[in-house]
């Protein structure tokens, strides 16, 4: 019989350790069994704690129960801390449905709302989530770019105000704060220009772990500088999707008559694995499980 190696955890303890050790937990957006396997197997090989994230689009694609049971199986096979996290959820009801299915961590994103409304919505989710042992991330300021169905024009992006960040953290009771300091979801037109002074100021004022969204296509040195300034969670989606999709395209170009998913998905998994390993090393979370 199989001995269970571990169970899913929330992000509380992993963030505490990351904060002390000056590294970050990589949070990878996964979309199906194959991408989940690549992330967990690579994290286990490198002995890194890991967060598996699903957007509302992913959860409606695979259903929260399938996501949870795949992750539970992964946790039972590997002895590393694994949290499953709802990424950019916008309503308490949707969070509740997924927490009931077994999610251990969530982001409630009301960053598009005015400050008072953002506070009210986050507080409501924090009260519910904490009663279930689930950790909560929220965003202040607004990231530009494209993430699934969430499209924010550059002109609507707004940097986090450090003074407001303290008030936001104190009034909501959240566990981690997503900051807008110049990253964007998806690929960048030029070199991303991060506002490290702002990040340093936020980090001086608040003591909760900070979260960097939109880490794809950002140079390693910039992400590591952000980690040195209090970032404990680094979100990566696009940089994993691209090698996966490219490998499938190459496979079909070379094998136009192919039809076996095991054949065309295997090179995609291999290509994605390399990037997952690079991102874990970038976060300095290797060996921290
Ligand atoms: P990227 O797609 O830019 O990596 O952003 C991921 C993200 O921030 C998930 O919330």
């Amino acid at each position: 019989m199989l001995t269970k190696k571990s169970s899913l955890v929330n992000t509380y303890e992993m963030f505490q350790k990351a904060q002390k050790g000056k590294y970050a937990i990589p949070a990878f957006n996964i979309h199906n069994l194959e991408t989940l396997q690549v992330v967990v197997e690579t994290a286990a090989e490198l002995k890194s704690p890991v967060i598996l994230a699903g957007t509302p689009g992913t959860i409606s694609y695979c259903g929260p129960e399938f996501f949870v049971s795949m992750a539970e199986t992964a946790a039972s096979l590997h002895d590393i801390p694994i949290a499953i996290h709802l990424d950019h959820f916008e309503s308490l009801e949707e969070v509740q449905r997924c927490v009931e299915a077994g999610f251990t961590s969530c982001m409630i994103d009301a960053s598009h709302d005015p400050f008072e409304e953002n506070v009210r919505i986050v507080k409501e989710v924090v009260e519910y989530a904490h009663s279930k042992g689930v950790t909560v991330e929220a965003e202040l300021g607004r990231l530009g770019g494209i993430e699934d169905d969430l499209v924010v024009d550059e002109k609507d992006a707004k940097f986090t105000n450090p003074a407001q960040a303290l008030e936001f953290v104190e009034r909501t009771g959240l566990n981690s704060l997503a900051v807008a300091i110049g990253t964007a979801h998806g690929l960048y037109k030029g070199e991303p220009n991060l506002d490290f002074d702002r990040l340093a100021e936020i980090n001086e004022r608040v003591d909760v772990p900070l979260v960097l969204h939109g880490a794809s296509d950002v140079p390693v040195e910039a992400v590591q500088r952000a980690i040195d300034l209090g970032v404990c969670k680094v979100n990566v989606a696009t940089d994993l999707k691209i090698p996966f999709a490219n490998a499938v395209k190459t496979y079909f170009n070379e094998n136009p008559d192919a039809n076996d998913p095991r054949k065309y998905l295997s090179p995609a998994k291999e290509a994605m694995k390399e990037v997952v390993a690079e991102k874990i090393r970038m976060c300095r979370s290797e060996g921290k499980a």
Side-chain angles (χ1 to χ4, degrees):
M1 208 183 77
L2 189 75
T3 345
K4 205 169 161 191
K5 296 258 172 61
S6 63
S7 304
L8 297 172
V9 294
N10 67 26
T11 54
Y12 188 74
E13 204 175 305
M14 53 171 88
F15 282 164
Q16 279 207 321
K17 289 185 180 160
Q19 236 180 352
K20 276 199 203 104
K22 289 248 180 256
Y23 60 93
I25 313 295
F28 296 113
N29 285 76
I30 59 110
H31 303 95
N32 53 15
L33 171 68
E34 286 76 13
T35 49
L36 181 142
Q37 282 176 321
V38 174
V39 167
V40 174
E41 284 165 13
T42 313
E45 277 168 32
L46 297 182
K47 301 202 180 345
S48 169
V50 74
I51 297 170
L52 305 173
T55 58
T58 300
I59 302 304
S60 54
Y61 172 73
C62 69
E65 293 80 11
F66 270 111
F67 194 118
V68 171
S69 53
M70 290 190 298
E72 275 173 349
T73 302
S76 74
L77 293 170
H78 300 285
D79 193 14
I80 54 169
I82 303 173
I84 48 174
H85 176 79
L86 302 168
D87 190 27
H88 292 288
F89 270 57
E90 296 191 359
S91 83
L92 175 63
E93 294 67 36
E94 286 172 38
V95 169
Q96 280 170 328
R97 169 158 148 61
C98 296
V99 166
E100 274 157 30
F103 272 81
T104 59
S105 173
C106 67
M107 174 194 197
I108 176 74
D109 184 1
S111 61
H112 44 279
D113 283 320
F115 182 72
E116 285 301 325
E117 185 63 359
N118 193 355
V119 169
R120 188 190 67 74
I121 294 169
V122 174
K123 228 174 134 186
E124 192 176 55
V125 171
V126 166
E127 268 163 35
Y128 164 73
H130 284 184
S131 76
K132 304 283 179 192
V134 166
T135 36
V136 181
E137 170 186 330
E139 180 170 321
L140 185 67
R142 194 144 205 237
L143 247 73
I146 302 177
E147 161 104 74
D148 278 6
D149 302 330
L150 181 67
V151 182
V152 181
D153 200 87
E154 239 168 79
K155 69 174 176 5
D156 297 320
K158 217 172 88 206
F159 281 14
T160 307
N161 173 324
Q164 227 178 21
L166 176 63
E167 187 184 341
F168 189 60
V169 169
E170 286 180 345
R171 285 178 60 193
T172 57
L174 53 71
N175 300 96
S176 55
L177 176 69
V179 293
I181 56 157
T183 55
H185 290 124
L187 299 180
Y188 295 81
K189 289 194 193 96
E191 179 97 348
N193 189 9
L194 306 201
D195 187 344
F196 292 109
D197 291 342
R198 181 179 298 267
L199 180 60
E201 204 183 328
I202 298 168
N203 191 35
E204 254 169 48
R205 290 178 187 242
V206 308
D207 53 13
V208 294
L210 305 177
V211 178
L212 189 70
H213 280 249
S216 290
D217 202 22
V218 179
V220 173
E221 306 71 45
V223 173
Q224 292 188 336
R225 196 167 159 202
I227 294 170
D228 291 336
L229 291 169
V231 164
C232 292
K233 173 172 177 271
V234 171
N235 286 13
V236 181
T238 309
D239 272 353
L240 304 192
K241 286 192 217 169
I242 293 171
F244 192 92
N246 284 348
V248 174
K249 288 177 213 167
T250 305
Y251 190 86
F252 277 108
N253 277 337
E254 288 167 3
N255 305 276
D257 298 326
N259 58 22
D260 184 338
R262 294 163 301 183
K263 297 249 165 73
Y264 60 78
L265 291 176
S266 295
K269 289 173 80 176
E270 276 309 307
M272 185 175 142
K273 188 181 171 74
E274 267 179 50
V275 182
V276 171
E278 277 167 25
K279 300 294 178 188
I280 288 173
R281 294 195 174 105
M282 172 181 79
C283 287
R284 305 196 200 103
S285 62
E286 184 178 7
K288 308 292 188 194

